[in-house]
């Protein structure tokens, strides 16, 4: 069995096709790797340059010191012979970033892909790609990819460690795979791995997912897949994930006719949507076809951990009456129920409301009561109602004063609540509010439907898992 | 007929209940008004203060110099007597920001609202509210509201004038009304008015919309309504808007049971969803229940003007194969068609693609071809196909180089294209890219479904308008 650990955690990486020209992809990969504080060796392999971006270059794979991982970024037709050399040199893992294989029109590309597969099998190499965009291992600061999303900048790869969980991304598409990372960063979402798998001639998404689940350091996995090549691996992986309570959030591209045409041209993928759907249902997999929503769902699972709604019944508390109505409509569309709160809870809430407020559900807290008592108190009171199993709190994060003044209560709420509390800000939140709520562990949504849908899928995931565990 | 012009374009404004305490709403409204360069007179009315935030204050309405507009922000029970004084003093317009009227439990609030209605009728006053949050007239820099979204900051109320159109917002909910403005600003969307109408005791959203359409300076109107009190006014307004080609984009809150409960508590609204839906269909009104999407649709109409798709057939061109597939799935969900492009167009595109690219539709341009020829060329070529009437171009706006190098072509594309071109960036766009595309007049989406849905509603709007004009 090929060793994925060697691929994701190499102690040395050769870049075959490395270049000094940082305007091209072959130079970009070296630049991105170098700019991160990866502690192990990087060996450029170049036929024309003795030094690449300040690193000693090697003329050939056969001249390399012992190497764990080879990243190949050379024209497709040269890939088999170089991969063969890697195998012969004892390199046990490779990623192939070149295009021009099974996705190409004609017979030459698919034939090259068959060759790769045979070589990998012969040497028992862990091979990802071809037509991938590499990967990132943030803990190792290792980014063998040319994705602009992985440029080393002012923002560290990992957000402040707040002792919460991490997510991984596995995507056939390179551009989209790193896009998840790009969208998750402003939410302080901590990514452990971003793996792009391209055409999946050898290793496929399920293989990486299984490795990541077995490793037990990743709490949520985001997957963008075009097809599933080995259903048995997928099922084994999905069952492990469900047992371990590590949600899989998947978009399968190609559900539409034009989308199917696109994935066939992209990674030579084709698959039966109905088969996939049935698999996803069986293993409580969360399906979403919206990038922003997928990241939002992941962030909410990370923040709430095991605190998932026991039913579809939610309370809404809002400083804006219109905002409360908007969430109510969104929750109804998401299939959530909003029962009127019980009398005891209503009495407690009413004690704080002006006469034009309303405690039914949605709770129209009114701006006045928020000014007087802050946001957290009302979410806490609503969560105490036996009629509901989750709370959506509507805030405006634009003017930070009310959130800042309520800081201690918000932190206590995020720590102590037993029912999930999700926040929707109907204005663009100030960065100080984003940071504060991130610290409090309260998931902040800027899109109302993502907020409602997340509550729904959290409830469904809990139910699916409980049903599965009971049956097995 | 009450004079809305006096309300929206007053030469002097009295603030009844003005205060020096800027932590309270009665102080905030004065502060916000003062901080903007409104050129006309502001008259605080205060029983307790001789000067409010540096402005001479008046003890009573009866002492005021001639005044066009009164903003009332005093406890509900005092509103009728002060409004009566305004009428007696010859003030022809008022906005009532106080709460505690028909939305309040019991009989007192609704009775107060009836009094307001009677006084307004007796003096033929243009009265907006109660329970509203005021309005903004950006051209006059007039912001009689306490909405934090209207705080004067470093960003001017109006973006750079690029000779494109403007939008208006009319919303019963104050918080949500100004949220549209807040969301539109980073898109350089130019807002002419934001009007919040609250309980609509007298003037309702349709009245303001009709004024704005008659004025002919606003191209798109965003509306958030809870009910329609006067169907005849709404129909007259909607017909004018459709004839003039000024799209109305509406969310009607309260479609769900809990939402209906919420709007009844919020503005005492109730209405029959089926009746509203039928009206919206009749007048080509664009319905959306997503704030981000509504703003995105408005921005696209402003950018594209009369260049609306003649059918549901679109071409997709993408630098990311996975991104192209994702848009294709989204377009299919939105009810768009993606026919394979004609041979002549494909031949022109193929001439620029590497062998692993694909010109069918979606066009998988590949990163390599984008590096060589830029983005604009492929959108232009795809738009030339007789098989499609619109183009979605998938870009990554994170790394600005390719967009910056393509700047002149993008500007030419935005100016010259006859078919709409919408852009989706699957990474968070750099601000330099946002500015560049705004200058080019190419609508940039960060959510794929909003992009696809916008193309769809643009086509539907064109078709609805053509059908209506033919039948009348």
């Amino acid at each position: 069995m090929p060793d994925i650990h060697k691929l994701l955690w190499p102690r040395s990486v050769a870049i075959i096709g490395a270049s000094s020209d940082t305007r091209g992809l072959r130079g970009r990969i070296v630049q991105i790797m170098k700019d991160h504080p990866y502690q192990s060796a990087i060996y450029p392999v170049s036929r024309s340059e003795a030094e690449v971006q300040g690193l000693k270059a090697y003329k050939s794979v056969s001249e390399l010191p012992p190497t764990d991982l080879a990243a190949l970024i050379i024209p497709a037709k040269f890939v088999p012979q170089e991969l063969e050399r890697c195998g012969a040199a004892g390199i046990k893992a490779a990623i192939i970033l070149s295009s021009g294989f099974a996705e190409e029109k004609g017979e030459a590309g698919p034939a090259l892909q068959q060759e790769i597969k045979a070589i990998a099998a012969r040497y028992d190499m862990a091979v990802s790609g071809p037509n991938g965009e590499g990967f990132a291992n943030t803990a190792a600061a290792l980014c063998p990819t040319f994705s602009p999303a992985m440029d080393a900048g002012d923002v560290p790869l990992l957000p402040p460690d707040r002792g919460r969980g991490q997510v991984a991304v596995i995507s056939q598409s390179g551009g989209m795979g790193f896009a998840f990372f790009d969208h998750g960063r402003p939410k302080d979402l901590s990514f452990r791995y971003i793996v792009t798998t391209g055409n999946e001639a050898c290793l496929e998404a399920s293989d990486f997912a299984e490795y990541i689940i077995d490793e037990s350091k990743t709490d949520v996995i985001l997957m963008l897949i075009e097809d599933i090549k080995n259903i048995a691996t997928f099922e084994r992986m999905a069952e492990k994930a469900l047992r371990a309570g590590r949600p899989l959030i998947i978009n399968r591209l190609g559900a539409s006719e034009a989308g199917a045409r696109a994935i066939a041209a992209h990674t030579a993928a084709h698959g039966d949507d109905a088969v996939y759907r049935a698999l996803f249902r069986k293993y409580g997999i969360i399906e979403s076809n919206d990038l922003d929503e997928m990241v939002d769902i992941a962030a909410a699972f990370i923040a709430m951990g095991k605190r998932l709604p026991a039913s579809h019944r939610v309370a809404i508390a809002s400083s804006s009456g219109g905002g409360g109505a908007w969430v109510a409509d969104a929750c109804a569309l998401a299939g959530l129920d909003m029962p009127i709160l019980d009398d005891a809870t209503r009495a407690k809430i009413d004690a704080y409301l002006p006469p034009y407020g309303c405690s039914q559900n949605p709770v129209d807290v009114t701006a006045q009561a928020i000014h007087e008592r802050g946001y957290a108190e009302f979410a806490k009171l609503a969560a105490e109602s036996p009629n509901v199993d989750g709370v959506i709190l509507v805030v405006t994060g634009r003017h930070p004063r009310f959130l800042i003044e309520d800081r201690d209560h918000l932190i206590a709420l995020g720590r102590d609540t037993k029912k999930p509390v999700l926040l929707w800000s109907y204005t663009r939140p100030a960065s100080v509010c984003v940071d504060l709520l991130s610290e409090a562990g309260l998931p902040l949504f800027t899109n109302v439907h993502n907020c409602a849908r997340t509550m729904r899928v959290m409830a469904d995931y809990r139910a699916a898992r409980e049903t599965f565990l009971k049956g097995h």
Side-chain angles (χ1 to χ4, degrees), chain A:
Chain A
M1 179 62 192
D3 186 359
I4 289 179
H5 186 73
K6 271 260 161 38
L7 193 155
L8 291 178
W9 290 89
R11 285 155 312 169
S12 51
V13 185
I15 302 162
I16 301 169
S19 161
S20 293
D21 176 10
T22 55
R23 287 180 60 94
L25 302 180
R26 299 190 295 115
R28 294 268 301 134
I29 184 172
V30 180
Q31 185 184 33
I32 291 173
M33 286 187 72
K34 274 189 57 198
D35 287 353
H36 289 285
Y38 175 55
Q39 295 298 314
S40 302
I42 304 173
Y43 305 133
V45 176
S46 167
R47 281 190 296 191
S48 55
E49 303 185 65
E51 194 182 283
V52 169
Q53 300 181 43
L55 297 170
K56 171 181 171 12
Y58 298 82
K59 280 264 175 274
S60 148
V61 168
S62 57
E63 296 174 14
L64 284 170
T67 298
D68 280 345
L69 171 68
L72 286 83
I73 184 160
I74 51 178
K77 63 181 172 186
F78 299 124
V79 166
Q81 70 192 53
E82 292 300 322
L83 191 65
E84 178 80 44
R85 283 182 186 141
C86 289
I91 299 174
K92 300 306 276 183
I95 55 175
I96 303 171
L97 293 88
S98 322
S99 298
F101 293 86
E103 81 282 10
E104 189 167 299
K105 292 168 289 286
E107 289 169 15
L112 287 170
Q113 185 157 326
Q114 281 307 315
E115 283 189 64
I116 285 173
K117 194 169 173 171
I119 296 163
R122 197 175 325 129
Y123 291 101
D124 195 29
M125 290 171 82
V127 175
S128 182
N131 194 21
E133 211 166 302
F135 69 91
N137 169 343
T138 57
L142 170 63
C143 302
T145 176
F146 51 77
S147 168
M150 300 315 298
D151 275 334
D154 299 336
V155 184
L157 286 175
L158 289 165
D161 181 9
R162 300 208 162 100
R164 300 200 188 101
Q166 288 195 290
V167 303
V169 175
I170 308 170
S171 169
Q172 289 191 245
S173 164
M176 303 309 301
F178 289 105
F180 285 100
F181 174 71
D182 186 58
H183 282 252
R185 291 181 95 176
K187 293 180 196 292
D188 280 354
L189 202 55
S190 180
F191 290 82
R192 185 166 172 83
Y193 301 109
I194 303 105
V195 180
T196 75
T197 56
N199 291 4
E200 304 187 334
C202 311
L203 293 171
E204 65 175 311
S206 307
D207 297 308
F208 285 102
E210 190 174 19
Y211 170 86
I212 288 167
I213 293 158
D214 288 343
E215 190 196 42
S216 288
K217 295 205 166 173
T218 301
D219 297 84
V220 177
I221 302 181
L222 290 158
M223 291 177 81
L224 180 65
I225 57 175
E226 306 190 2
D227 58 358
I228 297 172
K229 287 156 195 87
N230 189 328
I231 298 283
T233 309
F234 184 89
E235 290 206 69
R236 190 176 64 233
M237 175 281 292
E239 183 173 338
K240 281 184 185 179
L242 189 58
R243 284 190 186 281
R246 302 182 191 273
L248 304 175
I249 304 164
I250 299 189
N251 184 19
R252 191 248 148 182
L253 295 177
S256 68
E257 190 192 319
R261 225 162 43 217
I263 62 167
H266 180 226
T267 62
H270 42 82
D272 185 336
D273 208 52
V275 171
Y276 296 154
R277 283 271 149 79
L279 271 180
F280 296 164
R281 265 195 306 276
K282 183 172 172 190
Y283 294 104
I285 286 168
I286 297 159
E287 274 195 275
S288 168
N289 55 30
D290 186 308
L291 201 158
D292 303 314
E293 182 183 270
M294 291 172 79
V295 172
D296 275 342
I297 293 171
F301 270 105
I302 292 293
M304 285 293 129
K306 304 293 172 201
R307 297 170 292 179
L308 303 178
S311 76
H312 287 166
R313 299 171 311 157
V314 296
I316 297 164
S318 177
S319 59
S320 156
W326 203 318
V327 182
D329 283 349
C331 284
L333 277 176
L336 296 168
D337 301 319
M338 286 135 288
I340 292 183
L341 302 183
D342 61 291
D343 289 343
T345 303
R346 289 192 66 174
K348 284 185 215 163
I349 293 174
D350 279 333
Y352 298 140
L353 298 191
Y356 54 89
C358 179
S359 63
Q360 47 181 23
N361 187 18
V363 180
D364 187 355
V365 178
T366 78
Q368 187 187 314
I370 296 290
H371 286 213
E372 289 166 5
R373 309 213 49 99
Y375 285 109
E377 178 75 14
F378 293 99
K380 189 165 159 269
L381 285 173
E384 285 170 8
S385 171
N387 292 10
V388 300
D389 291 297
V391 175
I392 292 177
L393 181 64
V394 182
V395 307
T396 169
R398 188 177 194 284
H399 212 57
R401 195 182 106 205
F402 300 115
L403 287 167
I404 290 173
E405 289 180 356
D406 207 23
R407 180 199 172 89
D408 293 345
H409 297 116
L410 289 164
I411 288 172
L413 177 68
R415 184 188 60 223
D416 300 334
T417 184
K418 296 199 166 46
K419 298 175 184 174
V421 177
L422 310 183
L423 273 66
W424 173 47
S425 174
Y426 54 86
T427 45
R428 289 178 296 126
S431 64
V432 60
C433 296
V434 174
D435 292 346
L436 190 162
L437 293 169
S438 170
E439 189 190 343
L442 290 167
L444 175 64
F445 296 78
T446 56
N447 182 281
V448 68
H449 295 285
N450 292 3
C451 181
R453 268 264 304 158
T454 296
M455 187 67 86
R456 170 67 197 256
V457 302
M458 288 174 112
D460 288 354
Y461 180 76
R462 175 173 170 164
R465 184 157 180 262
E466 286 173 356
T467 303
F468 184 88
L469 295 180
K470 238 179 267 168
H472 289 75

